[in-house]
Amino acid sequence: MMAKSDQLRIDQQELVQAWSRTLPTVLNASDRAEVFADEADSNVLRVHITTAGRNDYSFDFKCTYVDSREVKVDLVDVERDGSNVDERTDVIQTLVDDYVRHIHECAQQLHALTTR
């Protein structure tokens, strides 16, 4: 098996700061996002998004850099008012799809930083 040469070469904290600045610019203005470093893996970021409005949903995503350009986004958890909810409903799936698209968009905007 060949080793990948296109690996992420950026300090994780620098990446967290860049994501923290960029992600809110691609989300709906009323949504809030927090980005955290994954303690176990330097190629992973944890993204927490809270929706605005009466629904009070919060979403947790695991964002793994496959290489310096591509991210794999996994939904970890969805909560409403602090309680777990069924992630399979159409409303939740639509929101998840939307947030995954925004997370990919954020990663694209940071290519100049992650591919240097």
Side-chain angles (χ1 to χ4, degrees), residues 3-115:
K4 272 195 166 184
S5 60
D6 184 23
Q7 295 179 342
L8 190 63
R9 290 186 184 90
I10 181 173
D11 177 71
Q12 193 179 31
Q13 282 311 120
E14 186 180 346
L15 191 60
V16 167
Q17 290 170 359
W19 271 79
S20 296
R21 283 189 309 271
T22 308
L23 188 56
T25 68
V26 298
L27 292 175
N28 297 324
S30 52
D31 291 338
R32 292 190 323 271
E34 294 175 279
V35 181
F36 306 94
D38 185 285
E39 304 283 325
D41 188 342
S42 62
N43 287 342
V44 175
L45 299 176
R46 299 291 178 158
V47 177
H48 179 80
I49 299 173
T50 305
T51 61
R54 292 174 283 169
N55 292 335
D56 199 26
Y57 287 117
S58 66
F59 297 81
D60 291 307
F61 294 95
K62 177 182 178 184
C63 182
T64 306
Y65 271 88
V66 178
D67 57 32
S68 67
R69 291 181 177 268
E70 184 186 347
V71 292
K72 177 177 177 264
V73 181
D74 296 301
L75 177 66
V76 176
D77 189 34
V78 181
E79 293 185 352
R80 183 177 188 178
D81 292 325
S83 300
N84 285 349
V85 296
D86 184 354
E87 299 158 5
R88 296 168 296 193
T89 66
D90 288 344
V91 171
I92 299 292
Q93 283 303 307
T94 299
L95 287 167
V96 167
D97 291 346
D98 199 36
Y99 288 134
V100 167
R101 190 172 62 253
H102 289 313
I103 290 169
H104 281 287
E105 190 178 335
C106 182
Q108 283 181 333
Q109 288 190 21
L110 294 173
H111 275 178
L113 191 65
T114 60
T115 58

